[in-house]
Amino acid sequence: MVGRILLAFAFYYPLSMAWVWIFGALTYYLRRERNAPSRGLPPELPFWPKATLVVPCHNEGDNVRETLEYLATQVYPDFEIIAINDGSRDNTGDILDELTAVYPQLRVLHFPKNQGKAMGLSMAALASNSEYLICIDGDALLDRYATRWLMWHLLSGERVGAVTGNPRIRNRSSLLGRLQVGEFSSIIGLIKRAQRTSGRIFTVSGVIAGFRRTALHQIGYWSKDMVTEDIDVSWRLQMNHWDIRYEPNALCWILMPETIRGLWKQRLRWAQGGAEVSRRYLKSLLIWRRRRMWPVMFEYLLSVIWSYNMLGILVLSFAGTVIPMPPWLYVAGPIPTWFGAILGTTCIIQFLFSILIDRRYEDRIGRQFVWIIWYPLVYWILGMLTTVVGVPKAFFKRTGTRAVWDSPDRGIR
Amino acid sequence: MRAESPIISSPEKQSRLQKFASLAITILAWSLWAYLWLPTLSVISAVFGLPINQILVVRRPDETSLLLIFLIMLASNFVVSVWSSYNYVRFAKRSRRRRPNSASHEEVGKLFGIDDPATLSLLSEGRSLSLYFDDAGRLVKVDGASAKTAPQ
């Protein structure tokens, strides 16, 4: 009996979520995307206030020239760039100072010691001469029209506190790189669309997001002690009734890990971050005025339960091969035979649907999907393992511990 | 209009073993995916009386479970549609709360413990600044002469 319940949840949860994402993304596509102008023709803005483009950097000597080159060519009439050299031990600081002579819009904040991304962003907000902040990472390349797309949202509603863009994977040399292309398209892209449809978003993408400074001011800016400052700021903004939007035309080209170790470290940080945020805000969400955040929290909690459920199944399956198990604890295996065909079909429908949507933004995206057939399995397994490890890390972390930079794996160059 | 993509694709930087492993894993994954369809093939072969039925693992589909799956898919769609429509109707067309006044530079400075107008002015105009913090993460000094990096 227990085994059957565990198996049923293991199967029905990912199946249900896949269809929720597909239906949600389809609604978004029909309502907001199908007839939207193309990327290169962003809507006219009612006025053109100054925007501050913020780039926190830690040991970005190899990337920051290209990053700033892209920022300097934004199709937007009035902007400044604030780069933060956060305790870099390479030549990032020298390069940034050198580039101030090349780009008149560029200003640089040097932190002699590593203070973390949240501190860098907060200080940029303090130094900014604008109400609007467009934040990207030091190794990311912002598409030339992205600032205008993000500003369009920030100017179109008084309660729009943030807008998240559309990260696209640059490095595709290895199987892991290509898998993440598919993941960002078929899973993360669909989730963002579905969540936007439901009214609240789990998180902005830390690598590309625009913010209204007044909204950040109201919530006290970024938290310095959360490992994922993007999830934290997204929850606090929405808990304070600021809207967060998603703009798929605001493209940002990013580097992702191409080693298993790098991927594991990144995903573990994400899992820990989700758990930290839930732990901190769960109680304060339980009031009627914050009901719009309930689906986000519910979905997150279900995913955590599913992860531990899968762990239970694996343990029981393994135990059943070694010792005789009582019938009520017997688990045959993680994938019920007949239902596999339904999961396989769902997976292909999800892929095809995301290819159809993503064709607007990138040429030949479909060819990447040949490689990602095993990604749904990897996605759920990786999600399970990082959650199982990340949740206890979040719960046993000492409160107030500062989160500082740790240079990530940036793939094959 | 699609993006001019700055994609990095250097498969030549991978070893032969890595390339072979990637290909092998992908073929294996597609094979596993095809394997998931065996029960369906079994049913089809049973219906048409084909001999392939003999070599496949045949398990009669459980009608209750299939119905449950269909209902779950339907319910997922229903819940998403109702909730998103509720959000759209109630919140999309009008702001239910007023936007607070924009935070001035002085107010932002005050929140970070900076009251001195000269420091605020330096922060908003300086091209290359060094910022120093105490152990608690409070901003304690802003220097117009860049210190760049310090070994940690």
Side-chain angles (χ1 to χ4, degrees):
Chain A
M1 182 63 187
V2 173
R4 278 185 68 117
I5 292 172
L6 292 180
L7 271 179
F9 186 61
F11 170 74
Y12 287 117
Y13 170 69
L15 184 78
S16 312
M17 287 319 298
W19 284 103
V20 164
W21 296 336
I22 292 170
F23 286 131
L26 179 65
T27 308
Y28 177 92
Y29 176 75
L30 295 175
R31 192 181 284 166
R32 303 179 192 276
E33 202 168 4
R34 186 178 48 165
N35 297 320
S38 70
R39 164 192 150 272
L41 295 168
E44 281 296 313
L45 304 189
F47 59 109
W48 302 87
K50 184 190 273 285
T52 299
L53 313 184
V54 180
V55 199
C57 307
H58 174 69
N59 297 338
E60 297 288 1
D62 292 339
N63 307 303
V64 76
R65 281 181 196 279
E66 201 179 10
T67 299
L68 287 171
E69 191 184 318
Y70 270 71
L71 285 184
T73 58
Q74 289 297 296
V75 182
Y76 193 81
D78 188 10
F79 64 90
E80 64 176 351
I81 305 170
I82 297 182
I84 302 100
N85 167 33
D86 189 359
S88 299
R89 282 163 293 182
D90 65 358
N91 58 348
T92 303
D94 292 326
I95 294 173
L96 287 174
D97 277 343
E98 179 194 320
L99 291 175
T100 53
V102 180
Y103 303 118
Q105 314 97 322
L106 175 62
R107 299 164 56 211
V108 184
L109 306 180
H110 296 278
F111 296 175
K113 280 187 179 174
N114 182 353
Q115 300 291 333
K117 186 176 176 183
M119 181 67 88
L121 294 170
S122 298
M123 290 302 109
L126 171 62
S128 165
N129 290 298
S130 163
E131 166 73 352
Y132 306 100
L133 309 172
I134 309 295
C135 305
I136 68 162
D137 280 357
D139 57 357
L141 307 181
L142 191 64
D143 183 68
R144 58 204 303 255
Y145 300 103
T147 298
R148 197 163 139 179
W149 277 105
L150 296 174
M151 288 296 290
W152 174 61
H153 283 284
L154 290 167
L155 297 176
S156 65
E158 283 196 329
R159 295 295 303 185
V160 179
V163 189
T164 183
N166 184 358
R168 315 295 303 183
I169 312 287
R170 287 181 68 194
N171 47 329
R172 303 171 181 192
S173 303
S174 67
L175 183 59
L176 272 184
R178 289 180 217 131
L179 286 178
Q180 290 172 92
V181 175
E183 179 198 16
F184 270 69
S185 176
S186 74
I187 297 180
I188 294 179
L190 288 197
I191 292 174
K192 284 274 194 294
R193 286 177 175 88
Q195 289 178 344
R196 172 77 179 105
T197 302
S198 77
R200 287 291 183 249
I201 284 175
F202 182 76
T203 181
V204 297
S205 299
V207 68
I208 166 67
F211 295 95
R212 184 188 298 275
R213 189 167 68 170
T214 299
L216 292 169
H217 189 77
Q218 196 188 37
I219 62 165
Y221 298 89
W222 288 268
S223 298
K224 283 53 169 198
D225 61 342
M226 305 297 263
V227 294
T228 48
E229 81 297 329
D230 45 2
I231 304 178
D232 177 78
V233 83
S234 305
W235 281 49
R236 285 188 296 125
L237 282 173
Q238 293 176 118
M239 283 162 63
N240 284 280
H241 311 290
W242 290 96
D243 276 333
I244 295 183
R245 293 189 181 171
Y246 169 61
E247 179 47 67
N249 281 295
L251 305 183
C252 186
W253 298 92
I254 63 172
L255 298 172
M256 292 296 276
E258 283 191 276
T259 61
I260 292 172
R261 184 184 154 82
L263 188 65
W264 169 260
K265 274 180 74 176
Q266 183 196 52
R267 300 310 163 96
L268 182 59
R269 193 174 66 82
W270 291 3
Q272 184 183 340
E276 280 182 10
V277 169
S278 309
R279 179 192 174 196
R280 186 169 289 182
Y281 305 120
L282 177 60
K283 268 190 192 167
S284 51
L285 280 182
L286 300 176
I287 55 173
W288 178 248
R289 287 179 67 217
R290 289 179 174 154
R291 64 193 178 282
R292 293 179 79 194
M293 283 296 285
W294 292 352
V296 173
M297 176 55 101
F298 184 63
E299 184 186 336
Y300 174 75
L301 291 179
L302 272 184
S303 74
V304 172
I305 293 168
W306 182 85
S307 297
Y308 284 95
N309 176 62
M310 282 301 287
L311 181 71
I313 287 173
L314 292 176
V315 169
L316 288 175
S317 303
F318 178 73
T321 62
V322 181
I323 51 170
M325 300 291 284
W328 60 276
L329 265 182
Y330 177 72
V331 172
I335 301 179
T337 313
W338 171 257
F339 297 149
I342 292 163
L343 276 180
T345 311
T346 300
C347 156
I348 291 296
I349 291 172
Q350 191 173 331
F351 286 169
L352 291 176
F353 178 58
S354 54
I355 290 173
L356 282 175
I357 292 181
D358 255 24
R359 286 186 312 170
R360 287 169 66 97
Y361 308 107
E362 200 181 320
D363 278 327
R364 290 174 291 185
I365 183 78
R367 64 169 59 180
Q368 302 298 334
F369 283 76
V370 174
W371 298 95
I372 70 159
I373 183 64
W374 61 289
Y375 198 75
L377 188 63
V378 175
Y379 172 78
W380 291 107
I381 290 175
L382 190 65
M384 174 198 87
L385 292 175
T386 52
T387 303
V388 165
V389 178
V391 169
K393 273 183 78 135
F395 275 80
F396 292 112
K397 182 183 157 185
R398 214 174 58 196
T399 313
T401 307
R402 292 270 298 281
V404 291
W405 284 99
D406 183 15
S407 292
D409 167 17
R410 295 194 176 96
I412 298 169
R413 303 296 298 273
Chain B
M1 186 177 176
R2 288 159 178 161
E4 310 88 5
S5 49
I7 288 168
I8 300 166
S9 181
S10 312
E12 70 281 356
K13 290 187 179 169
Q14 287 196 297
S15 68
R16 277 190 179 181
L17 182 66
Q18 283 173 316
K19 285 182 194 169
F20 174 76
S22 300
L23 189 64
I25 287 171
T26 307
I27 291 171
L28 180 70
W30 276 109
S31 309
L32 278 175
W33 185 82
Y35 172 76
L36 295 176
W37 286 93
L38 280 186
T40 317
L41 283 179
S42 302
V43 172
I44 293 169
S45 62
V47 168
F48 291 99
L50 299 175
I52 193 174
N53 189 27
Q54 303 301 316
I55 57 166
L56 298 178
V57 182
V58 180
R59 183 181 291 181
R60 188 180 151 75
D62 170 3
E63 287 85 357
T64 316
S65 300
L66 290 180
L67 183 67
L68 189 59
I69 289 169
F70 180 71
L71 287 176
I72 282 178
M73 285 161 58
L74 213 62
S76 306
N77 188 16
F78 179 74
V79 169
V80 170
S81 303
V82 168
W83 185 256
S84 66
S85 302
Y86 167 71
N87 272 277
Y88 193 73
V89 169
R90 189 165 168 83
F91 301 103
K93 300 287 181 196
R94 56 194 164 146
S95 291
R96 304 190 71 83
R97 289 179 174 78
R98 277 183 307 158
R99 183 173 73 87
N101 293 330
S102 296
S104 69
H105 204 197
E106 288 71 26
E107 286 170 321
V108 178
K110 201 172 174 184
L111 196 136
F112 289 107
I114 309 289
D115 289 326
D116 175 27
T119 307
L120 280 177
S121 170
L122 184 62
L123 276 165
S124 62
E125 290 164 16
R127 296 290 311 277
S128 179
L129 303 170
S130 290
L131 277 63
Y132 298 86
F133 302 86
D134 64 13
D135 289 340
R138 281 185 294 263
L139 179 60
V140 291
K141 185 182 166 192
V142 180
D143 193 348
S146 164
K148 289 169 194 158
T149 56
Q152 290 177 33

